[in-house]
Amino acid sequence: MFEYQLKNIRNFSIIAHIDHGKSTIADRLLELTQTVQAREMKQQLLDDMDLERERGITIKAHPVTMLYKASDGQTYQINLIDTPGHVDFTYEVSRSLSACEGALLVIDAAQGVQAQTLANVHLAIERDLEIVPVLNKVDLPAADVEATKRQIEEIIGLDASNAVSCSAKTGIGVDKILEEIIQLVPPPKSPEDDILRALIFDSYYDAYRGAMVYIRIISGELKKRDVIRFMSTNKQFDVNEVGIFSPDEQPVDVLRPGEVGYFVANIKKSSDVNVGDTVTLQKRPAPAPLPGFQKITPVVFAGIYPVDTSDFEALRDALVKLQLNDSALNVEQESSTALGFGFRCGFLGLLHLEIVFERLSREFDLDIITTAPSVIYKVIMNNGDEISVDNPAHFPDLTNVAQVQEPWVRASIMAPAEFLGAIMSLGMDKRGQCENTESVDNTRLLLTYRFPLNEIITDFNDKLKSVTKGYGSYDYEFDRYEKGDIIKLDIRVNEESVDAFSCLVHRSKAESKGRAICAKLKDVIPQQLFKVPIQGAIGGKIVARETISALAKNVTAKCYGGDITRKRKLWEKQKKGKKKMREFGKVSIPQEAFMRVLKAD
């Protein structure tokens, strides 16, 4: 059994590019430390969401406590905080790293250093963590251990001469990883006093017990029945249970400095738990909170609406629960003339939007629809006022606007050198500016680009993968706002503007985008008894148009024989009727039209 000693605790995280074997290494470590019995073992054990297993990605940070008897005969408590690998979940990574002293840098020996690995390593270096390089998948025929070590040294600047070579799938070399963690990762620092300070790095909503708060104890102790206080909201709660993850919840009597665990305290409202907040005792509070995280700012916005308006309340409850599990999700209520009542949600990227959409559909069994994603534009008015616009419906009249600024990002793209031409043409298509090109090794390049964010949030990743045959990877970070020629593209159906399809685009892209949406709508809106024009408009100027022809009815079928004037008379009468119908008739756009156009967008 483990006898508590601060010097025998190790807290570490695993950082890696998506699909470099992070979850598999975590599985092997759980097996090796016998945290999980062989009969209970399954692949990707810490990825407990169906979505994580299907896509092969980690979405939620998941902590686990392991006990390991090292070669020096001592038993160590090793706390692993598993982190996501995708660029959209950088916030999850940064919170997890704040609770650690070290990080395993896992790199696929067959693929080498990738763009997202770079971004996450820089997060770890900024937090002054001890980094242990691990080369995974060394059993593959394409693995090149020496070349990968050189890349780590040249690109990241870490000494990789003693990097652990392992194969997580076969289990080769995994025992060396544990020994390296104990040797290289420092134990937690000794606390300066015994006042309780605990860092919240995540939370999870349990329908029966309320919020389960994941914490790392920095100083002091936390026990059952303690009265705690959250320092950012000043809310007080009685602790009902404290425990550790091994890997399921396991209640314990007390959590001490350096340990990672959870507590449950009848917290029913998601807004009470702020990730990065400091927990202290009500009786002996800490004088100042721990240096926490900056507030997470969403970069992509989209409207989420229920397909059936009676599901509005259910959607609201579902979003509140999701917000507790996912503190980066930003939600505000809004309404649309075409779609009714819904919510305007802020996300960290397109994958984040997809994940939230899937979770609402699966976990809460809701039929929902999302509008086209957009970013935040800064609009400077003629009178000098500045407003932020994330919804095309709120875009002011262009005559009152002095200038519009759009967000730009700096992106790092890694790909084999032979695809340079294809990447350059994709970059031009997305209004990108290539700043730097450098060789990583004999075969691969690292390109530094600047892009307008609205160009890359929808399909850039998919297009990059297709032009590089799956070998390209990219990562981006916000750079700054710059002046751009941004205009509102209105989509009108039968002379009426449909706000769900309207979007903010760069002037050079407005015409092609308008044509694409109009053509799609022509396919999905059913024919009416009158002609229906579908138009893309910028202000008063029509830039794209399609027409849905009227349902033809043979009114002259009864006029057999006789004079042609009889038929003409009927045709004139019908023409007047259709004109009147078009004036008073409304075109109801079916729900699947919204689904298909917004998906195609």
Side-chain angles (χ1 to χ4, degrees):
M1 272 304 288
F2 175 73
E3 193 175 315
Y4 174 78
Q5 279 182 304
L6 192 65
K7 68 180 173 59
N8 286 359
I9 292 177
R10 299 289 182 274
N11 294 321
F12 78 101
S13 203
I14 304 181
I15 52 180
H17 186 77
I18 202 163
D19 204 27
H20 276 205
K22 186 160 43 74
S23 298
T24 317
I25 283 186
D27 290 349
R28 294 294 87 78
L29 295 178
L30 290 170
E31 276 179 356
L32 202 66
T33 54
Q34 296 177 345
T35 307
V36 180
Q37 299 303 315
R39 66 172 187 274
E40 293 169 5
M41 197 63 208
K42 59 184 179 187
Q43 284 191 337
Q44 291 173 266
L45 188 87
L46 295 182
D47 295 347
D48 46 10
M49 252 187 257
D50 290 344
L51 259 173
E52 293 180 308
R53 297 174 163 279
E54 276 171 35
R55 291 176 176 238
I57 57 175
T58 304
I59 295 167
K60 288 294 291 171
H62 199 300
V64 63
T65 300
M66 303 174 275
L67 297 178
Y68 175 64
K69 191 165 187 182
S71 52
D72 61 5
Q74 300 229 32
T75 301
Y76 290 85
Q77 178 183 341
I78 300 175
N79 294 313
L80 157 63
I81 300 171
D82 191 22
T83 62
H86 195 277
V87 53
D88 281 9
F89 297 108
T90 312
Y91 75 103
E92 288 266 353
V93 181
S94 70
R95 327 191 296 209
S96 303
L97 294 179
S98 294
C100 301
E101 278 78 37
L104 281 191
L105 168 64
V106 177
I107 292 176
D108 183 336
Q111 289 185 42
V113 177
Q114 300 277 314
Q116 284 161 23
T117 319
L118 271 179
N120 290 344
V121 167
H122 290 312
L123 281 176
I125 292 170
E126 278 167 25
R127 284 171 174 70
D128 207 17
L129 302 190
E130 188 62 48
I131 296 168
V132 182
V134 174
L135 307 184
N136 190 21
K137 307 191 186 181
V138 293
D139 57 324
L140 293 181
D144 189 341
V145 175
E146 291 309 312
T148 309
K149 282 184 180 177
R150 278 199 305 277
Q151 281 180 26
I152 294 173
E153 288 175 355
E154 287 168 15
I155 301 172
I156 301 169
L158 286 175
D159 176 20
S161 53
N162 297 325
V164 181
S165 298
C166 72
S167 163
K169 200 162 195 176
T170 58
I172 303 164
V174 179
D175 51 340
K176 287 188 203 150
I177 297 177
L178 284 165
E179 290 293 336
E180 287 283 302
I181 289 167
I182 285 159
Q183 295 301 319
L184 298 176
V185 175
K189 287 182 184 144
S190 295
E192 59 208 32
D193 54 32
D194 60 351
I195 295 173
L196 175 68
R197 293 180 189 85
L199 174 75
I200 300 176
F201 65 89
D202 209 346
S203 60
Y204 169 76
Y205 189 80
D206 185 301
Y208 302 103
R209 300 193 291 174
M212 183 180 286
V213 184
Y214 296 8
I215 53 167
R216 150 81 197 267
I217 306 281
I218 307 295
S219 64
E221 293 183 350
L222 182 64
K223 300 187 287 293
K224 191 176 172 179
R225 297 197 182 88
D226 276 345
V227 181
I228 54 148
R229 188 171 100 203
F230 291 139
M231 292 190 79
S232 73
T233 56
N234 268 331
K235 295 275 177 80
Q236 299 170 29
F237 295 98
D238 294 346
V239 177
N240 299 336
E241 182 185 306
V242 295
I244 58 170
F245 297 94
S246 73
D248 297 322
E249 295 111 46
Q250 185 183 320
V252 294
D253 296 330
V254 61
L255 284 176
R256 299 184 180 92
E259 294 193 306
V260 173
Y262 70 91
F263 70 84
V264 178
N266 278 341
I267 303 166
K268 293 285 184 260
K269 279 166 71 182
S270 59
S271 54
D272 291 342
V273 183
N274 289 330
V275 168
D277 196 1
T278 305
V279 178
T280 189
L281 290 179
Q282 177 59 23
K283 279 195 298 194
R284 272 187 77 202
L290 297 162
F293 304 92
Q294 63 275 33
K295 189 124 174 68
I296 302 155
T297 49
V299 292
V300 176
F301 285 82
I304 293 186
Y305 293 85
V307 168
D308 183 351
T309 47
S310 61
D311 287 340
F312 176 74
E313 291 294 329
L315 176 60
R316 179 161 55 196
D317 294 346
L319 282 168
V320 166
K321 285 175 184 164
L322 264 193
Q323 258 185 307
L324 184 56
N325 293 8
D326 183 351
S327 58
L329 178 63
N330 192 305
V331 180
E332 287 175 14
Q333 193 172 321
E334 71 166 6
S335 64
S336 148
T337 46
L339 299 170
F341 286 104
F343 297 91
R344 190 91 189 151
C345 300
F347 307 92
L348 295 167
L350 207 67
L351 178 76
H352 189 205
L353 187 158
E354 277 181 50
I355 297 296
V356 169
F357 187 86
E358 287 272 341
R359 287 183 71 184
L360 287 169
S361 307
R362 292 182 186 199
E363 294 174 28
F364 302 97
D365 200 23
L366 290 168
D367 274 342
I368 51 172
I369 176 175
T370 70
T371 62
S374 67
V375 299
I376 302 179
Y377 295 97
K378 285 185 178 169
V379 181
I380 294 158
M381 310 299 283
N382 289 333
N383 61 5
D385 290 351
E386 185 182 294
I387 56 172
S388 295
V389 176
D390 61 55
N391 187 344
H394 301 153
F395 194 72
D397 191 325
L398 272 175
T399 51
N400 303 325
V401 174
Q403 70 172 56
V404 182
Q405 295 181 344
E406 58 178 336
W408 282 66
V409 294
R410 180 167 266 106
S412 308
I413 301 172
M414 275 197 165
E418 72 226 52
F419 300 115
L420 179 62
I423 295 169
M424 288 285 197
S425 64
L426 175 64
M428 282 172 65
D429 185 45
K430 296 290 183 187
R431 297 195 287 127
Q433 300 167 356
C434 186
E435 291 195 330
N436 193 16
T437 308
E438 55 188 289
S439 296
V440 172
D441 53 27
N442 301 336
T443 57
R444 294 194 313 150
L445 293 173
L446 172 61
L447 298 150
T448 308
Y449 257 95
R450 288 183 71 249
F451 287 108
L453 181 59
N454 70 337
E455 293 286 344
I456 62 168
I457 55 168
T458 43
D459 57 358
F460 184 76
N461 196 32
D462 299 345
K463 285 190 172 165
L464 179 68
K465 289 285 182 206
S466 63
V467 301
T468 59
K469 298 185 180 170
Y471 290 111
S473 67
Y474 92 111
D475 183 74
Y476 66 84
E477 59 184 10
F478 176 74
D479 186 20
R480 61 173 185 263
Y481 273 88
E482 282 187 12
K483 184 180 175 182
D485 194 1
I486 303 297
I487 48 173
K488 182 182 177 183
L489 174 68
D490 259 326
I491 301 295
R492 299 175 186 166
V493 176
N494 198 29
E495 311 291 337
E496 277 190 32
S497 187
V498 183
D499 56 354
F501 299 132
S502 298
C503 51
L504 299 174
V505 290
H506 192 264
R507 195 180 292 273
S508 62
K509 299 283 181 84
E511 195 173 320
S512 56
K513 179 125 180 168
R515 283 182 177 167
I517 296 176
C518 290
K520 195 79 191 165
L521 281 173
K522 186 185 176 185
D523 293 342
V524 293
I525 295 177
Q527 282 183 302
Q528 311 290 319
L529 288 167
F530 49 91
K531 274 186 190 172
V532 178
I534 302 167
Q535 296 161 320
I538 299 166
K541 184 185 173 190
I542 305 297
V543 292
R545 176 180 170 124
E546 295 282 346
T547 307
I548 300 173
S549 54
L551 277 170
K553 180 183 174 192
N554 191 353
V555 287
T556 56
K558 57 190 176 185
C559 296
Y560 43 87
D563 190 359
I564 187 71
T565 51
R566 291 180 64 203
K567 289 187 178 180
R568 284 207 183 116
K569 200 168 156 189
L570 273 171
W571 282 330
E572 283 301 320
K573 193 174 173 186
Q574 189 192 27
K575 209 190 240 176
K576 281 181 190 165
K578 291 221 170 168
K579 190 177 174 189
K580 194 173 178 185
M581 198 185 274
R582 191 162 80 237
E583 282 171 17
F584 297 108
K586 274 205 177 300
V587 180
S588 61
I589 303 172
Q591 205 71 47
E592 64 264 23
F594 287 104
M595 301 294 270
R596 279 175 64 182
V597 172
L598 296 172
K599 274 184 182 166
D601 211 45

